[in-house]
Coordinates of all heavy atoms in Angstrom, one line a residue:
H1 N -45.3 -19.4 3.1 CA -44.2 -18.7 2.4 C -43.2 -19.7 1.8 O -42.8 -19.5 0.6 CB -43.4 -17.8 3.4 CG -42.2 -17.2 2.9 ND1 -42.2 -16.2 1.9 CD2 -40.8 -17.5 3.1 CE1 -40.9 -15.8 1.6 NE2 -40.1 -16.6 2.3
Q2 N -42.9 -20.7 2.5 CA -42.0 -21.7 1.9 C -42.6 -22.4 0.7 O -41.9 -22.7 -0.3 CB -41.7 -22.8 3.0 CG -40.9 -22.3 4.2 CD -39.6 -21.6 3.8 OE1 -38.9 -22.1 2.9 NE2 -39.3 -20.5 4.5
S3 N -43.9 -22.6 0.7 CA -44.6 -23.2 -0.4 C -44.5 -22.3 -1.6 O -44.3 -22.7 -2.8 CB -46.0 -23.5 -0.1 OG -46.7 -24.2 -1.1
E4 N -44.7 -21.0 -1.4 CA -44.6 -20.0 -2.5 C -43.2 -19.9 -3.1 O -43.1 -19.8 -4.3 CB -45.0 -18.6 -2.0 CG -46.5 -18.5 -1.7 CD -46.9 -17.1 -1.2 OE1 -46.0 -16.4 -0.7 OE2 -48.1 -16.8 -1.2
L5 N -42.2 -20.1 -2.3 CA -40.8 -20.1 -2.8 C -40.6 -21.3 -3.8 O -39.9 -21.1 -4.8 CB -39.8 -20.2 -1.6 CG -39.6 -19.0 -0.8 CD1 -38.7 -19.3 0.4 CD2 -39.0 -17.8 -1.6
K6 N -41.3 -22.4 -3.5 CA -41.2 -23.5 -4.4 C -42.0 -23.3 -5.6 O -41.7 -23.7 -6.7 CB -41.6 -24.8 -3.6 CG -41.2 -26.1 -4.4 CD -41.2 -27.2 -3.4 CE -40.5 -28.4 -4.1 NZ -40.5 -29.6 -3.2
M7 N -43.2 -22.6 -5.4 CA -44.1 -22.4 -6.6 C -43.4 -21.6 -7.7 O -43.5 -21.9 -8.9 CB -45.3 -21.6 -6.1 CG -46.3 -22.4 -5.3 SD -47.6 -21.3 -4.5 CE -48.4 -20.6 -5.9
V8 N -42.6 -20.6 -7.3 CA -42.0 -19.8 -8.3 C -40.8 -20.5 -9.0 O -40.3 -20.0 -10.0 CB -41.4 -18.4 -7.7 CG1 -42.6 -17.6 -7.1 CG2 -40.4 -18.7 -6.6
Q9 N -40.4 -21.6 -8.5 CA -39.4 -22.4 -9.1 C -40.0 -23.4 -10.1 O -39.4 -23.7 -11.2 CB -38.6 -23.2 -8.1 CG -37.8 -22.4 -7.1 CD -37.1 -23.2 -6.0 OE1 -37.1 -24.4 -6.1 NE2 -36.7 -22.5 -5.0
I10 N -41.2 -23.9 -9.9 CA -41.7 -25.0 -10.7 C -42.7 -24.5 -11.8 O -42.9 -25.2 -12.8 CB -42.4 -26.1 -9.9 CG1 -43.6 -25.5 -9.1 CG2 -41.4 -26.7 -8.9 CD1 -44.4 -26.6 -8.4
G11 N -43.3 -23.3 -11.6 CA -44.3 -22.8 -12.5 C -43.7 -22.4 -13.8 O -42.5 -22.0 -13.9
D12 N -44.5 -22.4 -14.9 CA -44.0 -21.9 -16.2 C -44.3 -20.4 -16.4 O -43.5 -19.7 -17.1 CB -44.7 -22.7 -17.3 CG -44.3 -24.2 -17.3 OD1 -43.0 -24.5 -17.3 OD2 -45.1 -25.0 -17.3
H13 N -45.4 -20.0 -15.9 CA -45.8 -18.6 -16.1 C -46.6 -18.2 -14.9 O -47.4 -19.0 -14.4 CB -46.6 -18.5 -17.4 CG -46.7 -17.1 -17.9 ND1 -46.3 -16.7 -19.1 CD2 -47.2 -15.9 -17.3 CE1 -46.5 -15.4 -19.3 NE2 -47.1 -14.9 -18.2
F14 N -46.5 -16.9 -14.4 CA -47.2 -16.5 -13.3 C -48.1 -15.3 -13.6 O -47.7 -14.4 -14.4 CB -46.2 -16.1 -12.1 CG -45.3 -17.2 -11.8 CD1 -44.0 -17.2 -12.3 CD2 -45.7 -18.3 -11.1 CE1 -43.1 -18.2 -12.0 CE2 -44.8 -19.3 -10.8 CZ -43.5 -19.3 -11.2
I15 N -49.2 -15.3 -13.0 CA -50.1 -14.1 -13.1 C -50.3 -13.5 -11.7 O -50.5 -14.2 -10.7 CB -51.5 -14.6 -13.6 CG1 -51.4 -15.1 -15.0 CG2 -52.5 -13.5 -13.5 CD1 -52.7 -15.8 -15.5
A16 N -50.1 -12.2 -11.7 CA -50.3 -11.4 -10.5 C -51.5 -10.6 -10.6 O -51.8 -10.0 -11.7 CB -49.1 -10.5 -10.2
V17 N -52.4 -10.5 -9.6 CA -53.6 -9.8 -9.7 C -53.5 -8.2 -9.6 O -54.4 -7.5 -9.8 CB -54.7 -10.3 -8.7 CG1 -55.0 -11.7 -8.9 CG2 -54.2 -10.0 -7.2
S18 N -52.3 -7.8 -9.3 CA -52.0 -6.3 -9.2 C -50.5 -6.1 -9.4 O -49.7 -7.0 -9.3 CB -52.5 -5.8 -7.9 OG -51.7 -6.3 -6.8
Q19 N -50.2 -4.8 -9.7 CA -48.8 -4.5 -9.8 C -48.1 -4.6 -8.5 O -46.9 -5.0 -8.5 CB -48.7 -3.0 -10.3 CG -49.2 -2.7 -11.7 CD -48.3 -3.3 -12.8 OE1 -47.2 -3.7 -12.5 NE2 -48.8 -3.4 -14.0
A20 N -48.8 -4.4 -7.4 CA -48.3 -4.5 -6.1 C -47.8 -6.0 -5.8 O -46.7 -6.2 -5.3 CB -49.3 -4.1 -5.0
I21 N -48.6 -6.9 -6.2 CA -48.2 -8.3 -6.1 C -47.1 -8.7 -7.0 O -46.2 -9.4 -6.6 CB -49.5 -9.3 -6.3 CG1 -50.5 -9.0 -5.2 CG2 -49.0 -10.7 -6.3 CD1 -50.0 -9.3 -3.8
S22 N -47.1 -8.2 -8.2 CA -46.0 -8.4 -9.2 C -44.7 -8.0 -8.6 O -43.7 -8.6 -8.7 CB -46.3 -7.7 -10.5 OG -45.3 -7.9 -11.4
H23 N -44.7 -6.8 -8.0 CA -43.5 -6.2 -7.4 C -43.0 -7.2 -6.3 O -41.8 -7.4 -6.2 CB -43.8 -4.8 -6.8 CG -42.7 -4.2 -6.0 ND1 -41.6 -3.7 -6.6 CD2 -42.5 -4.1 -4.7 CE1 -40.8 -3.2 -5.7 NE2 -41.3 -3.5 -4.5
E24 N -43.9 -7.6 -5.4 CA -43.5 -8.5 -4.3 C -43.0 -9.9 -4.7 O -42.3 -10.5 -4.0 CB -44.7 -8.6 -3.3 CG -45.1 -7.3 -2.7 CD -44.0 -6.5 -2.0 OE1 -43.0 -7.2 -1.6 OE2 -44.1 -5.3 -1.9

């Protein structure tokens, strides 16, 4: 979870495989 928090800070663009994941 801590790694994911950092991922959303450094990435330029994100792909979610479902609307459910996009929401989360």
